[in-house]
Amino acid sequence: MILIDGKKVAAELREELKGEVSQLKKQHNKIPGLTVILIGDLTPSQIYVRNKERSAKEVGLNSEVIKYPDSVEEKTVLEKIKELNVDATVSGILVQLPLPKHIDKQKVIETIDPSKDVDGFHPMNVGNLSSGYESSIPCTPLGCYLLIKKIEPNISGKKAVIVGRSNLNGKPMTQLLLKENCTVTITHSKTKDLKSECLQADIIVAAVGIPELVKGDWVKKDAIVIDVGINKTEKGIVGDVNFNEVSKKAKALTPVPGGVGPMTIACLLKNTIECFKRSQI
Ligand code: NAD
């Protein structure tokens, strides 16, 4: 079984991006910039944002974090986004989710200029992705896609089963695999027989949030299995896939941690650079 080393692939990608940033600097005399808005003091969000900032600096991007207390008014955040939309030094804007209840997530997402939407959540980017046009692609599914392609560059005609239909993971993952000519089934909490759906898959992507949901006897021999889940349990952080069982069946499997997670941030940097490049045309 191939253990898909997301840490290593992400480090390679960051190295590649570092080279690209120095090339862009020479070419345009400018550096792509990422601005993150962080609201409140949720520990996981603070950790994610710190990691994003560190990685952005590591590849040579300009990086800025704007912090607001939990009590910030929605209006203040929307005004700041509008300011960033017209700031030529800002290539990408990310508002760290989740947001406090009094702030309308959709309004925030739709206020970000789609050309600076490094998370790929703006309806314009969602539409472009599903129409097969150029767009920002949500970072986690993009990371999963790159890992799959690393294992198997030609996946045309493969049967893929996505477990979970979130806007963040499952739905964009479906679009990416459709673009590669996979036959894609998207499953969710109301799917009648998840096991038999998974058993047909050459590629499984699990993005559910239920510890070790996907069992060894759900997986066809030599399938590629990508585990997006991050679940805190008594035995530590586990994914949505039962690693011990599935590693005996799969051709390739991502560990948790060290699989999809590191790719997410690397793909955010990639998206920032892509937004910059598109703005220079
Ligand atoms: P979500 O809660 O938004 O969506 C979960 C999806 O799973 C829903 O579509 C739901 O229909 C489906 N589901 C729920 N129960 C099910 C069941 N019994 N059988 C089949 N489907 C079921 O979750 P999300 O935001 O997509 O996140 C999923 C997991 O991925 C979480 O563990 C989250 O922490 C993790 N995550 C990881 C990364 C990363 O960088 N690795 C990034 C984002 C999310």
Side-chain angles (χ1 to χ4, degrees), residues 140 164-166 168-169 188-189 194 207-210 228-231 264:
T140 303
R165 59 174 158 185
S166 69
L168 182 67
N169 290 308
H188 45 78
S189 55
L194 191 54
V208 192
I210 299 180
V228 180
I230 302 175
N231 307 294
T264 298

Side-chain angles (χ1 to χ4, degrees), residues 5 28 30 51 60 71 116-117 133 211 219 243 246 263-264 273-274:
D5 188 346
H28 300 283
K30 278 189 268 185
N51 289 340
S71 57
K116 296 191 177 187
D117 166 36
Y133 302 142
V219 175
F243 185 88
V246 173
M263 289 300 287
T264 298
I273 294 168
E274 293 302 325

Side-chain angles (χ1 to χ4, degrees), residues 153-172:
N154 181 5
I155 51 175
S156 177
K158 299 279 181 199
K159 167 108 178 136
V161 171
I162 316 293
V163 191
R165 59 174 158 185
S166 69
N167 290 340
L168 182 67
N169 290 308
K171 285 181 194 161

Side-chain angles (χ1 to χ4, degrees), residues 34-40 49 53 63-69 72 76-77 79-85 87 90 92-96:
L34 171 66
T35 299
V36 176
I37 296 181
L38 173 64
I39 304 170
V49 169
E53 196 182 16
S63 162
E64 183 193 17
V65 179
I66 298 170
K67 292 183 183 167
Y68 291 112
V72 66
T76 308
V77 178
E79 269 159 21
K80 176 51 80 180
I81 294 173
K82 286 179 194 159
E83 230 176 78
L84 297 171
N85 282 345
D87 182 339
V90 176
I93 304 166
L94 181 150
V95 180
Q96 182 65 47

